[in-house]
Amino acid sequence: MSNNQSRYENRDKRRKANLVLNILIAIVSILIVVVAANLFINSPSSKDVSKDSETAQKQESPASGKTEKKSDEDIKDSKKDTSDSEKDSEKSSDSDSDSKKDDSSKSDDSDSDSDSNSDDPLKDAKVTEGGSSSDVEKTYENPDWKAVGTEQKGEHAATYDSSSQDWAEMLKAISYATGVSTDNMTVLWLGNNGSPQDAKGKILDKTSGEKYQVTITWVDEKGWKPIKVEKLK
């Protein structure tokens, strides 16, 4: 009787142990399934990764495009600034050229006027027939004649020495009034005309053969000034 009871108890223990073991195995299996499911659910799929990558590229692409557009705009602005600078430089150059042309034109006009006056200084003079003596054909007088300037300093005294500065300045005044250059004139006579500050000279134009008698007077600090030109017969 006791043996049967002992066997029965052993079987009952084994059943209980198997039941506990089965329960533990079931629990572990369930835990494994739950963990695996959580891992699968939480991990991003390849499609999601691909979509995220495409989204990132699309987001970056506009920025890149804007950068390229900005770069192109910067280049265009740089070219425009360079072009404007070149245009301004050309305008400045043209303006300087025009200014130089105007100055040159004015200079030419001035030289032309000067040459005209030197070529024909008697043109605007008042002309009268005859003169201070019977050998005078015409007399020319012009109140606009100026003193020719001087390099002499201090108190002036007429000097009729052909090597003196005063002599050279008297010939300059005679040349200015008649238009005959000093290189192209022969001095027939040059001397005092009644006072220390007045002189008179006779010259011959080597080219035309004309003779002139010129009356000049001294102006302090300004030099000799022509008063009258007489064309001799």
Side-chain angles (χ1 to χ4, degrees):
M1 185 72 179
S2 62
N3 289 331
N4 292 331
Q5 186 178 0
S6 177
R7 285 197 295 271
Y8 177 78
E9 289 178 353
N10 289 332
R11 284 197 299 270
D12 186 53
K13 289 181 179 179
R14 284 196 296 272
R15 260 195 321 271
K16 290 181 179 180
N18 290 332
L19 179 62
V20 170
L21 181 61
N22 290 332
I23 292 171
L24 291 176
I25 292 171
I27 292 172
V28 170
S29 299
I30 292 171
L31 290 175
I32 291 172
V33 170
V34 170
V35 171
N38 287 333
L39 289 175
F40 179 78
I41 292 171
N42 292 332
S43 64
S45 65
S46 60
K47 291 183 178 180
D48 294 336
V49 172
S50 177
K51 288 182 180 179
D52 291 339
S53 177
E54 290 178 358
T55 302
Q57 288 180 356
K58 288 180 180 179
Q59 290 177 348
E60 291 177 358
S61 179
S64 177
K66 289 181 180 178
T67 303
E68 291 178 356
K69 288 182 180 178
K70 287 183 179 179
S71 178
D72 292 340
E73 290 176 356
D74 292 340
I75 293 173
K76 290 180 180 179
D77 291 340
S78 177
K79 290 182 178 179
K80 183 178 180 181
D81 292 340
T82 302
S83 178
D84 292 341
S85 176
E86 290 177 352
K87 289 180 180 178
D88 291 340
S89 178
E90 290 176 358
K91 288 181 180 178
S92 177
S93 177
D94 293 340
S95 178
D96 292 341
S97 178
D98 292 340
S99 177
K100 289 180 180 180
K101 288 180 180 179
D102 291 340
D103 292 340
S104 177
S105 178
K106 290 178 180 178
S107 177
D108 291 342
D109 291 342
S110 177
D111 292 342
S112 177
D113 292 340
S114 177
D115 292 341
S116 177
N117 291 334
S118 62
D119 289 341
D120 191 7
L122 302 177
K123 179 180 179 181
D124 297 327
K126 178 183 177 181
V127 183
T128 56
E129 298 295 328
S132 60
S133 62
S134 59
D135 62 341
V136 176
E137 180 181 339
K138 291 181 181 180
T139 299
Y140 300 87
E141 295 176 289
N142 189 344
D144 292 332
W145 283 333
K146 308 294 183 182
V148 296
T150 181
E151 296 179 6
Q152 301 178 66
K153 305 296 182 182
E155 187 176 354
H156 175 263
T159 304
Y160 299 101
D161 180 351
S162 60
S163 62
S164 67
Q165 180 65 34
D166 200 42
W167 178 279
E169 291 179 358
M170 284 190 280
L171 294 185
K172 183 178 179 181
I174 292 173
S175 174
Y176 161 62
T178 61
V180 181
S181 68
T182 55
D183 294 333
N184 201 43
M185 71 168 63
T186 299
V187 180
L188 303 176
W189 179 82
L190 180 58
N192 184 276
N193 190 38
S195 76
Q197 306 300 335
D198 293 291
K200 182 184 291 186
K202 290 182 180 181
I203 64 161
L204 169 68
D205 185 343
K206 295 178 182 179
T207 301
S208 66
E210 300 286 353
K211 293 180 182 179
Y212 297 96
Q213 180 171 266
V214 184
T215 302
I216 57 178
T217 190
W218 175 263
V219 179
D220 288 337
E221 298 181 357
K222 294 183 179 180
W224 290 99
K225 173 184 176 180
I227 301 297
K228 180 173 60 177
V229 175
E230 295 175 304
K231 183 179 180 182
L232 303 178
K233 296 179 181 178

